[in-house]
Amino acid sequence: IFSFFGIIDFLSTVPKYLAFFFMGSQYFTAFRALRLLRVFRILKLVRFVGESNKLINALRASRTKISVFVFFVLIISVLLGTLMYLIEGPDHGFNSIPHSVYWTIVTLTTVGYGDISPQTPLGQFLATLIMIIGYGVIAVPTGIVSAEYASNLNTNKTMDEGRSCPNCSCEIKRSDADYCRKCGYNLNQEDEDENEKEA
């Protein structure tokens, strides 16, 4: 019952019974959508979970780089928001520095609600720079995760070579292995023997 799908079943059925005892708990029936995760088991899609694990591992390995980057973006947002407040001011809708920082984050993430917009030429120029920086903000974390994912794939390739030991026929899992993990045979022995024959 404490398995992954057991917990999913529990969370998807409990809200129905809570509705009998507590008023307002009908909103928890949205948890019933968790039953859709059963589709993975029905359609035999569980084998693709390993691929998602590679992506999760890449995200986990690059979390420090992404955290530093997000912290840097937060600092840039505060600085540019303060600068925009000084340029535009309350007359043009930038009522406070936090309000201006909100506008900077909305512009930087290319959401652009349009509730506030700069009116002065200098403010519009700064807004243009923030928009251009926003494209870089989108690209950098994607590049970090992609590089980590590619490096994980390369290390997996070195793990699955498919050789076998000539002495005990044990499968050699690493391409850079010098000795057999089972019998200790020198895997480079054949190369050394050939070199001696040629000499």
Side-chain angles (χ1 to χ4, degrees):
I1 120 177
F2 294 110
S3 67
F4 175 73
F5 284 109
I7 293 170
I8 293 299
D9 288 340
F10 177 74
L11 290 176
S12 60
T13 55
V14 163
K16 178 181 179 182
Y17 298 106
L18 284 177
F20 292 127
F21 301 107
F22 301 106
M23 294 298 293
S25 62
Q26 67 269 16
Y27 300 112
F28 290 114
T29 55
F31 282 110
R32 296 181 72 194
L34 288 171
R35 288 187 295 178
L36 293 173
L37 291 174
R38 284 281 183 188
V39 172
F40 280 96
R41 180 175 278 179
I42 294 167
L43 299 177
K44 310 263 190 245
L45 298 174
V46 178
R47 62 181 180 268
F48 297 117
V49 172
E51 297 300 319
S52 67
N53 286 339
K54 290 179 185 174
L55 182 60
I56 290 169
N57 289 337
L59 286 168
R60 194 174 291 137
S62 57
R63 70 178 178 262
T64 53
K65 294 176 188 173
I66 291 175
S67 323
V68 169
F69 179 73
V70 168
F71 187 66
F72 173 75
V73 168
L74 187 64
I75 291 170
I76 290 292
S77 299
V78 170
L79 291 175
L80 293 175
T82 304
L83 188 60
M84 186 58 86
Y85 173 75
L86 293 174
I87 292 171
E88 292 291 326
D91 298 337
H92 298 116
F94 293 86
N95 300 324
S96 64
I97 290 177
H99 204 197
S100 301
V101 170
Y102 154 78
W103 173 85
T104 303
I105 292 172
V106 166
T107 306
L108 199 62
T109 56
T110 68
V111 173
Y113 290 126
D115 52 348
I116 317 169
S117 59
Q119 305 297 322
T120 63
L122 187 58
Q124 291 171 349
F125 176 74
L126 183 62
T128 305
L129 288 178
I130 293 171
M131 291 174 208
I132 292 170
I133 292 170
Y135 285 112
V137 166
I138 293 168
V140 170
T142 307
I144 290 171
V145 174
S146 300
E148 196 65 45
Y149 188 78
S151 72
N152 284 345
L153 288 178
N154 288 338
T155 54
N156 287 340
K157 284 179 183 173
T158 61
M159 293 298 285
D160 301 320
E161 184 62 27
R163 295 187 300 162
S164 60
C165 174
N167 189 36
C168 67
S169 300
C170 176
E171 182 183 0
I172 306 300
K173 298 207 177 211
R174 293 188 58 98
S175 61
D176 57 348
D178 293 328
Y179 297 94
C180 176
R181 62 186 164 85
K182 185 174 180 184
C183 69
Y185 181 79
N186 186 356
L187 298 171
N188 300 325
Q189 186 71 37
E190 294 175 5
D191 298 335
E192 292 173 6
D193 292 341
E194 287 178 14
N195 290 337
E196 287 176 9
K197 287 178 185 177
E198 290 175 5

